[in-house]
Amino acid sequence: MGDIGRSTSELLERNKEPSHLTQYIAAISVITMEQNNWFSSTFNLGALIGGLLGGMCVNTLGRRGTMLASVLPFLGSWMIIAFAQNFAMLVCGRVLAGLCAGVTCIAVPTYIGEFASPDIRGTLGTGFQLMVVVGLEYAYVFGAVMTTWRGMALVCAIPPVIYLFLVFFTKESPTYLLSKGKDKEAKEALQYFRGKHYDVEPEMQLMRKTQEEARQNTVSLSDLKKPYILKPLLISCTLMVFQQLSGVNAVLFNLSLIFEEAGSGLPDDVSSIIVGLVQVVVTAISGILMDKAGRKVLLIISAAAMIVSLVALDVYFYEKFLNEERAVETLSWLPLTCLIIFITAFSIGFGPIPWLMMGELFSLNVRGPASSLATMVNWTMAFLVTLLFQPLQEAIGPYGIYWLFAGFCAISLLFCILVVPETKGKTLQEITRHFGGPVTTEDATKKQEELSRF
């Protein structure tokens, strides 16, 4: 999402408005590198606040209600940017856009996780990340053809309108409706999602039992130490941290350099569009694989492939540092190859899966606040990485930055192998039971029967 701001900030730097326009427009026609860093990173700061707000909203306004409530502020953020009279207004617009994005990143995965059936929940959950990369590609394409950043901001105001139209005609989450005592509406909503001829009564019975258990097991801050809450919370937050420390920003920020090293001669805008298209295609493929290969397997493959590509990039830039002529002559093919492998690996695993699993791991009684905390961790890391990336790269060099992120990917690989559970094909109730969470009497009886067979 932050790369939408990157397209806007690039236009800010090369603004083509006539010099005879009013003084206040001229004053913000070009921003400094430091201002550009803040313009990009404050989106993540706003999303951090939105993560906290979203956790409260999904339990008060509902999942669908929260999504609808975010639309007008989203539109307002782009209007503030489009008609900004100074840099402070630009930053305010970015913070507000980030806040709405943070809210959306809680509401949408939670909503999908609750209405999707177990056999297709992975595919539908990946749709969230797919729409994110489609949005990035949208920004890349229009960023290449727009001549002013004001026009770019207005173009970015179109997707929230489409979002409003699509969400308006959907039903609220059956789980949320049931939690508010709206049994009839919950059943109608579940029937809407399952189809006219599907018998939803057995699923409704299970949902009612889960709701009853959730009411009997309300939690406070001190209850976070309970294993069935703490374990999935730590797993989700750690996946969010590794997503941001995977090196995706290092690669995307150096797109133009990588394409240049490969001798492509493509303009920066075109290279961004190509990479965005790769992300869209691979994320769509990952949606198909998610309920076949499983989350854990794809995370392991993703981390391993990112390690290989980042180490190879480091080898190239280190060789170039030692002997530029020899590196360009013998390894010019390597940067672009590594870029394709890295983007493919990220898009198939660490891009979509942390968001998908956030909607799966938490039991009903802690789903709102736990998802809020995981989202805040993600955006905090995104803010820090975006703000500190350029100074860090200048301090340790291009090859140093790739070694650093390759190390983080190696740690994430071990974490996925040793800690992350497989949630493919499991109901939300089964996942809760896996962590030792509250189970219904019927679940406990089944578990006892299973144990008695051994």
Side-chain angles (χ1 to χ4, degrees):
M1 294 182 182
D3 278 4
I4 295 176
R6 186 159 71 95
S7 296
T8 308
S9 64
E10 287 171 355
L11 284 167
L12 278 163
E13 290 178 310
R14 55 184 174 86
N15 187 273
K16 300 178 181 178
E17 292 187 278
S19 58
H20 64 272
L21 289 181
T22 57
Q23 186 175 358
Y24 77 82
I25 293 180
I28 56 171
S29 291
V30 179
I31 62 176
T32 66
M33 180 61 71
E34 182 180 357
Q35 287 176 325
N36 183 45
N37 287 341
W38 278 103
F39 180 78
S40 298
S41 58
T42 48
F43 179 92
N44 301 316
L45 192 60
L48 172 61
I49 302 169
L52 178 62
L53 183 62
M56 296 183 288
C57 289
V58 292
N59 288 329
T60 53
L61 302 178
R63 287 54 162 157
R64 174 177 174 272
T66 299
M67 290 187 282
L68 289 173
S70 69
V71 173
L72 285 181
F74 245 137
L75 287 171
S77 69
W78 290 113
M79 292 300 103
I80 291 172
I81 293 173
F83 299 103
Q85 300 183 22
N86 50 54
F87 182 69
M89 290 186 68
L90 288 173
V91 171
C92 286
R94 286 289 285 167
V95 170
L96 182 57
L99 186 147
C100 295
V103 169
T104 303
C105 285
I106 287 182
V108 174
T110 302
Y111 182 63
I112 294 172
E114 289 181 346
F115 78 71
S117 57
D119 56 324
I120 60 169
R121 193 173 60 241
T123 300
L124 294 182
T126 307
F128 173 71
Q129 179 68 13
L130 177 61
M131 291 300 102
V132 170
V133 295
V134 167
L136 295 181
E137 182 70 352
Y138 174 88
Y140 289 150
V141 170
F142 281 97
V145 299
M146 299 300 295
T147 57
T148 69
W149 53 270
R150 296 184 186 279
M152 184 65 191
L154 292 174
V155 166
C156 288
I158 297 174
V161 177
I162 300 173
Y163 178 55
L164 171 65
F165 178 80
L166 294 175
V167 175
F168 184 81
F169 291 101
T170 64
K171 298 284 187 180
E172 180 57 89
S173 160
T175 301
Y176 171 76
L177 291 170
L178 205 58
S179 72
K180 297 300 179 182
K182 300 179 179 180
D183 192 284
K184 181 181 177 182
E185 291 89 337
K187 187 173 182 179
E188 290 175 354
L190 188 61
Q191 195 73 65
Y192 169 82
F193 289 119
R194 297 292 180 266
K196 292 182 180 179
H197 305 294
Y198 186 88
D199 182 13
V200 299
E201 192 54 42
E203 193 171 353
M204 283 295 298
Q205 289 292 342
L206 181 58
M207 287 173 60
R208 292 187 188 103
K209 291 177 181 178
T210 303
Q211 289 284 352
E212 185 60 31
E213 292 290 342
R215 292 190 187 97
Q216 294 174 7
N217 291 275
T218 55
V219 296
S220 62
L221 192 61
S222 61
D223 292 320
L224 288 177
K225 61 184 180 182
K226 292 181 178 179
Y228 85 92
I229 299 175
L230 185 60
K231 286 181 182 178
L233 181 60
L234 290 176
I235 290 171
S236 182
C237 288
T238 305
L239 286 175
M240 293 299 191
V241 169
F242 283 134
Q243 183 194 65
Q244 294 302 322
L245 294 180
S246 64
V248 64
N249 285 319
V251 173
L252 293 179
F253 273 110
N254 285 322
L255 275 182
S256 58
L257 177 61
I258 292 172
F259 273 86
E260 181 183 332
E261 296 293 344
S264 68
L266 293 173
D268 291 353
D269 291 332
V270 175
S271 62
S272 296
I273 291 171
I274 292 172
V275 170
L277 185 60
V278 171
Q279 285 183 290
V280 170
V281 172
V282 177
T283 304
I285 293 173
S286 75
I288 299 172
L289 296 175
M290 201 65 64
D291 289 312
K292 298 182 183 297
R295 287 65 153 157
K296 186 183 181 81
V297 172
L298 291 179
L299 282 172
I300 291 171
I301 293 172
S302 176
M306 287 193 294
I307 293 170
V308 172
S309 58
L310 287 170
V311 169
L313 272 175
D314 173 79
V315 168
Y316 175 82
F317 283 107
Y318 187 69
E319 285 294 319
K320 185 181 177 184
F321 173 74
L322 295 177
N323 190 324
E324 182 172 352
E325 184 177 341
R326 183 179 64 188
V328 171
E329 182 179 338
T330 60
L331 298 173
S332 61
W333 56 272
L334 190 57
L336 189 56
T337 303
C338 292
L339 171 66
I340 294 172
I341 293 173
F342 180 87
I343 293 298
T344 300
F346 180 81
S347 300
I348 210 168
F350 268 90
I353 293 178
W355 294 111
L356 168 62
M357 294 192 75
M358 186 189 77
E360 294 180 323
L361 291 176
F362 305 122
S363 58
L364 182 60
N365 55 336
V366 296
R367 191 167 296 157
S371 298
S372 178
L373 183 56
T375 301
M376 290 173 66
V377 169
N378 183 283
W379 290 110
T380 300
M381 293 304 302
F383 170 72
L384 292 174
V385 171
T386 305
L387 184 63
L388 300 177
F389 172 75
Q390 289 290 0
L392 188 61
Q393 182 172 248
E394 291 173 6
I396 63 178
Y399 49 87
I401 203 78
Y402 292 122
W403 267 122
L404 178 65
F405 288 119
F408 286 128
C409 286
I411 299 171
S412 71
L413 175 61
L414 292 175
F415 178 78
C416 292
I417 293 172
L418 299 175
V419 180
V420 176
E422 181 55 75
T423 57
K424 179 188 73 171
K426 295 181 179 179
T427 65
L428 299 181
Q429 292 78 16
E430 288 171 335
I431 296 170
T432 297
R433 189 171 62 191
H434 170 82
F435 291 108
V439 296
T440 63
T441 304
E442 182 179 311
D443 287 335
T445 302
K446 286 182 179 179
K447 189 174 183 180
Q448 187 62 40
E449 290 175 353
E450 290 171 0
L451 290 173
S452 65
R453 296 173 187 169
F454 295 95

